[in-house]
Amino acid sequence: MEGFFGGLGDALDEQNWHAALVMALTLPDICGKADAPGGRSGQRYAAWFDRHVGSRYKHRIGAGREEVIFLSGNDCYALRCALLHEGSTDTSTHSAREALSRFHFCTPGQFNNGLHCIQINDALVLMVDEFARDVLDAARAWWASLTPGARQAAADRSIALHDTDNISI
């Protein structure tokens, strides 16, 4: 898992926003599979996102302090599918979506203006760096909370990169 975490951290440090976004949208898949190996990918993804990242995208707004979910696990999964399979942020035709049909990602820019977690009708505006860091921080906290046995079982199911100078398969 450290390779995935490091890859996302490096993408953020290098301001490689597309790579950071792809990694951030992939981590809940990887973590969800490690957390609950059975079941369907979309259900695992949404459950993991809601449990570990979702609170960062729930806010109490208005005079009545009504709780509003700006980004659910299902909407994030629909975004993951749209981006990874189509290179798009349009989720309007994805069956997993709940409330959102489009996403707009912004980069920090020279003045670091923040347009994060702003919903306009059925579109959500997110800062790519904040979103990616939220997922990365949640994934790291989740990983640290696992028992050594659970971490080892997840590592055993995960991809292994082999050094060609010292390969042993």
Side-chain angles (χ1 to χ4, degrees):
M1 292 299 290
E2 291 302 325
F4 294 114
F5 300 158
L8 178 49
D10 289 348
L12 286 166
D13 291 345
E14 296 164 10
Q15 297 183 3
N16 185 343
W17 305 126
H18 287 89
L21 186 55
V22 167
M23 285 296 301
L25 289 170
T26 305
L27 268 181
D29 248 342
I30 296 164
C31 297
K33 176 72 173 184
D35 214 20
R40 299 179 52 114
S41 174
Q43 293 167 338
R44 281 193 315 257
Y45 186 107
W48 190 91
F49 184 92
D50 287 339
R51 191 174 321 113
H52 299 284
V53 185
S55 65
R56 298 164 197 235
Y57 293 91
K58 289 180 190 174
H59 302 288
R60 294 197 176 279
I61 61 171
R65 308 302 295 157
E66 177 186 349
E67 183 177 82
V68 175
I69 298 172
F70 286 89
L71 182 57
S72 70
N74 284 326
D75 279 324
C76 195
Y77 181 72
L79 172 61
R80 167 239 181 250
C81 292
L83 188 71
L84 297 182
H85 297 292
E86 302 163 359
S88 172
T89 58
D90 179 350
T91 60
S92 61
T93 61
H94 289 267
S95 60
R97 80 175 194 89
E98 280 184 297
L100 302 170
S101 64
R102 188 156 206 63
F103 291 82
H104 300 282
F105 284 94
C106 298
T107 61
Q110 179 181 352
F111 301 108
N112 204 20
N113 294 324
L115 297 172
H116 188 64
C117 210
I118 298 170
Q119 188 169 344
I120 304 166
N121 298 319
D122 61 348
L124 186 63
V125 179
L126 296 169
M127 295 296 295
V128 66
D129 59 326
E130 289 187 48
F131 172 74
R133 199 160 308 284
D134 285 344
V135 174
L136 178 57
D137 291 347
R140 282 185 167 148
W142 162 81
W143 186 249
S145 76
L146 296 181
T147 65
R151 280 197 301 272
Q152 185 59 52
D156 290 346
R157 289 189 301 271
S158 186
I159 185 174
L161 298 179
H162 303 280
D163 178 352
T164 57
D165 292 335
N166 299 306
I167 195 163
S168 62
I169 301 175

